[in-house]
């Protein structure tokens, strides 16, 4: 019987759940895998049935939520259904951890698609941004830049649809903005007339055939000049000055220019071009559903490459089943879903292909400016090479290996005798091409002639280090060009995205961005600060934070970014992105829950579930606060609870880190009493050596290992 005090014996590996080794680059040693579930081994059918029941209940609650329009009439009842949906989501996310990787992946993907489909059951319930998306796509399809004219400008009156600009009794309802009458410009001064006269002089006197639906719409071919289809609703429904019948619009802020970045505008144009004739907002909602399911697929594909695929697959459910996804990404069709997909793909690609990852992050920023906050996560550990105490263990091992390779390579360079212990290189085989030493000499010569090429070499290449004479190795010290490559690629993609609109627009491509910042109460001295309840947590420290909060927020964010640059793990950039993005949310306390879709996706990547309190706080400030008088305290309480949850999660992980680190270390052999116990061998060999009687002949019973009786 084996000795129980010497540790358990070897066990066969479990394919469904493998604990990450101490030097894992994906899973931190402080976060070991959960122990195997007894329910899965004893009754493997219990967890799937329970999970299917929870997901079915979640789909039913979300469908009922979308079928009833309670945002303006009964926000309290809507908040109650949101609470039930989030409770079912938490139970399902806990239950999926008891399944294997493959079974969990099927549940995550199928359940995510079913949950996303519930958002297609009704028009947008809690936001009107999708109407602005449809309008911007229609304006671009007419060949006009969306940054040039506001929706209520009479110059764009010919593009107005009945469902976007209703008249008469349809204007009596929520989320309707009146269109202020404006004197019509002379025909020769309209922008479409100038385009038309410049390109088609014969169009100065249009005929009824030219004005027919589906024909060329004035505006020129700069952005797509011809309208792709004839809409079922009649055009030219704008009311003339002095008309008795009022006209309104479903667009929010119809008197200002658009603020959406170029990638978002391209997405609006793409959806408008591909939508069938007579459709309204369903194509945008369908696009949001496809984007959310694609994000789930990317998370599942990345989970297969992780050290613990079962745990990573279960984390993907935090995005796929989160109630905020069907509400904001699908039903309200927010373009944030596009930014989230590009951000997730970029952060996954950064550890292996830094240029591609940075380009994807730049595209995400060009879709919605908010993902720029996640960009510091791609630079995690940028300054860790110069800080020995804070350098990660895996990075230190790679640096040591690179230095060893460099010293060996330097000792055998040109003009230096080979060491005595190294054997001469074998002769080249016939027909094998040029020998390896010749190839290495060519590489060294190229490094001397083109020293810049060595800087552009990725830092992860250790098998073929690039070295120039009398210069430090590029592989030993992380090159600056490779480290900042994600930021440079992101900036280049954003600049290239804005370039066509800068060349084709007469107005600023920033649109209403600066006015939006002041309107939301973030600008110093803004009158809307009290109504919007921005800087809610800082407001608890001192009233009137809009006069002093901006420097404080900037200082705290710079400190967090500096910490990520020093102590962040470059193999897990999503962790740094989550910390920076979540801290920005807690400091700024935005009132729109769809902004927090980015936080939900980062939680699905990293697994720190305590940050899910941030989107819940946004829901409380946007929905629940409407159910009570003076509901500013509701949002403040929500963000305070979210901040407390984050701090509690951080404290719990800090307390578990020493125990998890000690558990991940290999067990040491027991101390021996005899002098032969320090020999290299197995514990049983050392025990046998101690148990042998000195002077006994080989093969005698005295030399056989003694078995210790186990205590019971």
């Amino acid at each position: 019987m084996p000795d129980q005090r010497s540790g358990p014996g070897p066990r066969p590996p479990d394919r469904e759940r493998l604990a990450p080794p101490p030097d894992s680059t994906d899973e931190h040693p402080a976060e070991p895998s959960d122990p195997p579930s007894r329910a899965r081994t004893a009754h493997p059918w219990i967890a799937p049935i329970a999970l299917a029941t929870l997901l079915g209940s979640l789909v039913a609650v979300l469908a009922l939520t979308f079928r009833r329009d309670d945002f303006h009439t009964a926000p309290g009842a809507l908040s109650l259904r949101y609470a039930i949906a989030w409770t079912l989501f938490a139970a399902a996310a806990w239950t999926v951890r008891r399944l294997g990787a493959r079974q969990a992946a099927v549940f995550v993907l199928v359940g995510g698609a079913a949950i996303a489909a519930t958002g297609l059951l009704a028009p947008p319930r809690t936001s009107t941004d999708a109407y602005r998306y449809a309008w911007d796509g229609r304006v671009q399809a007419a060949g006009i830049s969306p940054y040039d004219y506001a929706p209520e400008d009479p110059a764009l009156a010919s593009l107005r649809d009945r469902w976007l600009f209703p008249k008469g009794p349809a204007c009596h309802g929520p989320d309707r903005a009146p269109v202020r009458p404006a004197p019509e410009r002379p025909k020769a001064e309209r922008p479409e007339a100038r385009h038309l006269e410049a390109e088609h002089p014969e169009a100065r006197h249009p005929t009824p055939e030219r004005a027919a639906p589906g024909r060329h719409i004035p505006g020129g071919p700069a952005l797509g000049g011809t309208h792709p289809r004839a809409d079922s609703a009649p055009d030219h429904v704008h009311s003339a000055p002095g008309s008795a019948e009022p006209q309104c619009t479903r667009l929010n802020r119809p008197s200002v220019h658009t603020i959406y970045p170029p990638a978002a505008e391209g997405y609006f144009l793409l959806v408008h071009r591909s939508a069938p004739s007579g459709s309204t907002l369903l194509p945008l909602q369908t696009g949001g559903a496809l984007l959310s399911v694609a994000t789930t697929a990317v998370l599942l594909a990345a989970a297969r490459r992780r050290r613990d695929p079962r745990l990573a697959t279960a984390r993907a459910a935090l995005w796929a089943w989160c109630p905020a996804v069907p509400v904001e990404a699908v039903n309200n069709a927010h373009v944030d879903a596009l930014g989230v997909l590009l951000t997730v793909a970029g952060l996954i690609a950064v550890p292996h292909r830094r240029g591609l990852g940075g380009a994807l992050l730049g595209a995400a920023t060009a879709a919605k400016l908010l993902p720029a906050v996640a960009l510091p996560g791609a630079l995690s550990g940028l300054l860790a090479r110069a800080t020995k105490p804070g350098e990660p263990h895996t990075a230190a091992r790679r640096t040591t290996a690179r230095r060893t390779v460099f010293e060996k390579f330097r000792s055998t360079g040109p003009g230096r005798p080979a060491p005595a212990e190294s054997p001469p290189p074998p002769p080249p085989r016939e027909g094998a091409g040029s020998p390896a030493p010749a190839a290495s000499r060519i590489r060294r010569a190229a490094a001397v002639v083109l020293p810049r090429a060595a800087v552009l070499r990725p830092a992860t290449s250790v098998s073929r280090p690039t070295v120039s004479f009398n210069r430090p190795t590029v592989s030993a010290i992380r090159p600056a060009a490779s480290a900042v490559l994600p930021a440079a690629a992101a900036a280049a993609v954003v600049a290239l995205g804005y370039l066509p609109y800068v060349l084709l627009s007469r107005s600023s491509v920033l649109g209403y961005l600066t006015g939006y910042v002041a309107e939301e109460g973030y600008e110093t001295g803004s009158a809307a600060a009290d109504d919007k309840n921005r800087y809610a947590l800082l407001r608890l420290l001192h009233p009137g934070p809009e006069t002093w909060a901006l420097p404080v927020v900037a200082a705290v964010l710079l400190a967090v970014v500096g910490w990520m640059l020093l102590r962040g793990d470059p193999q897990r950039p999503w962790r740094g992105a989550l910390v920076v993005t979540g801290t920005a949310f807690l400091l700024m306390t935005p009132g729109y829950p769809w902004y927090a879709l980015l936080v939900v996706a980062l939680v699905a990547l990293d697994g720190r579930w305590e940050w899910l309190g941030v989107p819940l706080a946004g829901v409380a400030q946007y929905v629940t606060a409407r159910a009570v008088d003076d509901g500013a305290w509701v949002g403040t309480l929500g963000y305070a609870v979210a901040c407390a949850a984050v701090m509690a999660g951080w404290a719990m992980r800090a307390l578990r880190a020493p125990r998890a680190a000690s558990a991940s270390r290999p067990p040491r052999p027991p101390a021996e009493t005899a002098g032969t116990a320090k020999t290299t061998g197995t514990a049983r060999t050392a025990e046998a050596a101690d148990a042998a009687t000195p002077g006994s002949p080989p093969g005698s019973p005295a030399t056989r290992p003694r078995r210790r009786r186990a205590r019971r």
Side-chain angles (χ1 to χ4, degrees):
M1 179 178 297
D3 186 9
Q4 294 185 356
R5 290 177 294 178
S6 61
R11 293 181 299 178
D14 190 356
R15 295 184 178 180
E16 289 293 333
R17 48 186 306 133
L18 296 176
D23 58 345
S24 173
T25 58
D26 281 340
E27 302 296 335
H28 199 274
E31 300 177 8
S33 302
D34 296 337
S37 174
R38 295 182 179 179
R40 188 179 54 157
T41 56
H43 304 285
W45 48 270
I46 294 181
I49 293 179
L51 184 57
T53 304
L54 291 172
L55 291 180
S57 303
L58 179 58
V59 169
V61 171
L62 289 174
L64 179 63
T65 301
F66 293 130
R67 296 299 297 178
R68 301 189 61 177
D69 189 7
D70 294 337
F71 181 62
H72 298 282
T73 58
L78 180 61
S79 301
L80 179 60
R81 283 192 289 272
Y82 278 174
I84 296 175
W86 276 85
T87 303
L88 293 173
F89 158 65
W94 180 261
T95 307
V96 75
R97 299 166 66 94
R98 298 176 176 271
L99 303 181
R102 295 182 179 179
Q103 194 175 18
V106 174
F107 270 96
V108 169
L109 189 59
V110 176
I115 291 173
T118 59
L120 305 175
L121 299 178
R125 293 304 191 187
T126 60
S127 175
T128 58
D129 289 349
Y131 296 98
R132 189 60 177 257
Y133 302 166
W135 172 255
D136 285 357
R138 181 173 177 82
V139 170
Q140 292 179 91
I144 303 174
S145 172
Y147 301 104
D148 284 346
Y149 303 99
E152 71 172 11
D153 196 313
L156 303 180
S158 60
L159 302 178
R160 295 178 181 177
D161 288 339
R162 179 74 70 178
W163 68 280
L164 287 176
F165 292 83
K167 295 177 62 177
C171 292
H172 300 288
D175 297 330
R176 303 292 194 275
V179 178
R180 295 176 297 178
E184 294 188 0
R185 301 181 183 178
K187 187 176 181 180
E189 296 181 5
R190 296 180 186 178
E192 61 267 21
R194 289 196 297 267
H195 281 288
L196 192 62
E197 292 178 3
E199 300 178 10
H200 304 279
E202 69 279 2
R204 296 184 181 181
H205 304 284
T207 61
E209 289 78 7
R210 293 194 183 97
R215 294 285 184 177
H216 180 82
I217 290 182
L223 294 175
T226 56
H227 200 271
R229 66 182 187 275
D231 294 315
S232 58
D235 294 339
H236 306 283
V237 296
H238 61 287
S239 57
S243 176
E245 189 177 16
Q247 184 180 14
C248 61
T249 179
R250 297 177 182 269
L251 279 66
N252 52 24
R253 304 177 182 89
S255 60
V256 300
H257 296 184
T258 186
I259 64 173
Y260 297 105
E265 295 294 341
Y267 171 71
F268 304 154
L269 177 61
L270 176 63
V271 173
H272 182 84
R273 292 283 192 184
S274 57
S277 176
S279 58
T280 55
L281 293 183
L282 186 59
L284 286 169
Q285 293 177 325
T286 305
L290 294 177
L291 291 174
S292 62
V293 174
T295 304
T296 303
V298 171
L299 291 171
L300 292 177
R304 299 179 59 184
R305 302 180 180 180
R306 304 286 289 272
R307 294 290 183 179
D308 191 351
R310 187 203 60 82
L311 184 59
T313 303
R315 289 173 177 175
L318 298 177
W319 163 265
W321 303 342
C322 182
V325 175
V327 173
E328 307 299 345
V330 183
N331 183 254
N332 292 328
H334 283 290
V335 74
D336 299 67
L338 176 61
V340 167
L341 173 61
L342 295 173
T343 302
V344 170
L347 292 175
I348 292 175
V350 159
H352 309 285
R353 304 184 64 178
R354 303 183 63 81
L356 176 60
L360 291 174
L361 291 175
T365 306
K368 194 71 181 278
L369 298 178
L370 183 60
V373 187
L375 185 59
L379 306 179
S380 297
L382 176 64
L383 305 179
R385 291 291 188 263
T387 307
K388 295 296 182 181
E391 190 168 341
H393 176 65
T394 54
R397 291 194 301 102
R398 287 195 297 267
T399 303
T400 304
R402 292 167 185 166
R403 290 177 179 175
T404 304
V405 173
F406 167 66
E407 294 297 337
K408 183 177 180 180
F409 180 81
R410 189 175 182 180
S411 63
T412 59
R416 296 179 176 85
E421 66 274 10
S422 15
R429 295 177 299 173
E430 295 183 1
S434 57
S440 61
R441 285 195 298 268
I442 294 176
R443 287 195 300 269
R444 289 195 296 267
V448 175
V449 177
L450 300 174
R452 295 285 182 180
V455 181
L456 298 178
R457 197 175 187 85
T460 57
S461 178
V462 297
S463 59
R464 296 182 179 179
T466 305
V467 183
S468 59
F469 301 108
N470 300 325
R471 291 172 60 90
T473 175
V474 179
S475 300
I477 303 175
R478 192 175 187 176
S482 177
V484 300
L485 184 59
V493 170
V494 172
L496 291 176
Y498 270 106
L499 182 60
Y501 290 93
V502 170
L503 297 177
L504 298 174
S505 303
R506 298 183 180 89
S507 301
S508 173
V509 293
L510 297 180
Y512 187 61
L513 182 59
T514 55
Y516 179 78
V517 173
E519 178 185 327
E520 289 298 312
Y522 291 118
E523 195 176 55
T524 302
S526 175
D530 295 334
D531 298 335
K532 296 293 185 178
N533 196 29
R534 303 301 179 251
Y535 308 116
L537 299 183
L538 299 180
R539 197 180 297 273
L540 298 176
L541 304 177
H542 190 276
E546 64 275 1
T547 59
W548 55 269
L550 192 58
V552 174
V553 170
V556 174
L557 288 181
L558 286 177
V560 174
V561 171
W563 180 264
M564 288 296 105
L565 295 180
L566 286 172
R567 299 299 181 90
D569 190 352
Q571 297 298 321
R572 287 177 295 179
W574 45 83
R575 174 158 299 179
L578 175 60
V579 173
V580 176
T581 305
T583 304
F585 271 82
L586 293 178
L587 293 174
M588 309 290 286
T589 62
Y592 300 124
W594 52 87
Y595 288 174
L597 287 175
L598 179 61
V599 177
V600 176
L602 295 177
V603 169
L605 272 174
D606 190 51
R608 302 199 172 213
W609 53 265
E610 62 268 15
W611 287 98
L612 289 177
V614 172
L616 276 174
V619 172
Q621 184 160 322
Y622 187 72
V623 178
T624 311
R626 296 173 177 264
V628 297
D629 297 333
D630 191 16
W633 63 270
V634 177
T636 303
L637 179 62
Y639 275 107
V641 172
C643 182
V646 171
M647 299 302 295
W650 174 80
M652 292 175 57
R653 297 175 190 277
L655 292 177
R656 290 191 312 176
R659 290 181 294 178
S662 60
S664 61
R665 297 173 184 171
R668 295 181 179 180
E672 305 294 345
T673 56
T676 58
K678 297 183 179 181
T679 59
T680 57
T682 61
R684 183 172 297 181
T685 304
E687 184 180 353
D690 294 341
T693 304
S696 301
S700 62
T703 60
R704 298 176 182 175
R706 299 178 181 178
R707 297 182 179 179
R708 299 181 182 180
R709 183 173 300 174
R711 298 179 181 179
R712 298 183 179 178

